[in-house]
Amino acid sequence: GGRRPRGGALAAALSSDSSMSAWGRQKRGVDDLVEAVANDRTACVVVLRHRTFDDDAAAALAAAIRRSSTFEELRCSGHAISATGAAALGDAIGASRTARVVDVGDGTLGDEGVEALASCLRCPTLEALELEAKGVGDAGLAAIAKGVAAAPALDALVLGRNAFG
């Protein structure tokens, strides 16, 4: 499980945004990241707080993930998406044969969003699902527990700072 994304994808994702330190600028979307995933130009997507990431962006990224043969890692923690966006990503990642790491949503994701995202656990290569501080309660935990049984490569499940049990 110690593999890192190929080709310096994280560095490329971080350096591709010239507005990173520009205060007061309008947040930009993720169209460039969606295109990079769809065209197998990056294996890692990191959506930082200066970008807009909502259900529409999640649906676009999910479609790109379905087309990609190299996608490995999605980190868009801290962005509010609903169960609709979580379902789109969960289903796309669940159908992937290359995804390894998923960290999606913020504290508003909640049980409904986590239940929708749980379909990502069908991915046979998924190694880590990070759900820290995502508003996971008992129902969300039950959905994750059910999915874990079908996740042969999963070796990290982060659930800290949630309110279940």
Side-chain angles (χ1 to χ4, degrees), residues 30-39 45 57 60-65 67:
V30 295
D31 292 344
D32 58 326
L33 300 176
V34 168
E35 182 182 340
V37 170
N39 294 310
V45 175
L61 186 56
I65 290 168
R67 290 191 301 270

Side-chain angles (χ1 to χ4, degrees), residues 13-109:
L14 293 174
S15 67
S16 69
D17 190 349
S18 61
S19 68
M20 194 169 211
S21 62
W23 292 93
R25 280 205 175 163
Q26 183 175 348
K27 290 184 176 187
R28 61 186 260 195
V30 295
D31 292 344
D32 58 326
L33 300 176
V34 168
E35 182 182 340
V37 170
N39 294 310
D40 288 333
R41 289 196 318 262
T42 187
C44 175
V45 175
V46 178
V47 182
L48 300 175
R49 71 174 190 250
H50 63 279
R51 289 187 182 248
T52 301
F53 191 81
D54 55 15
D55 286 342
D56 291 338
L61 186 56
I65 290 168
R66 287 186 180 279
R67 290 191 301 270
S68 176
S69 62
T70 60
F71 170 79
E72 294 182 4
E73 187 169 350
L74 176 58
R75 294 193 180 272
C76 57
S77 184
H79 294 276
I81 60 171
S82 73
T84 301
L89 290 170
D91 290 345
I93 293 166
S96 172
R97 297 295 171 249
T98 57
R100 295 184 311 101
V101 177
V102 175
D103 185 1
V104 174
D106 68 359
T108 65
L109 189 60

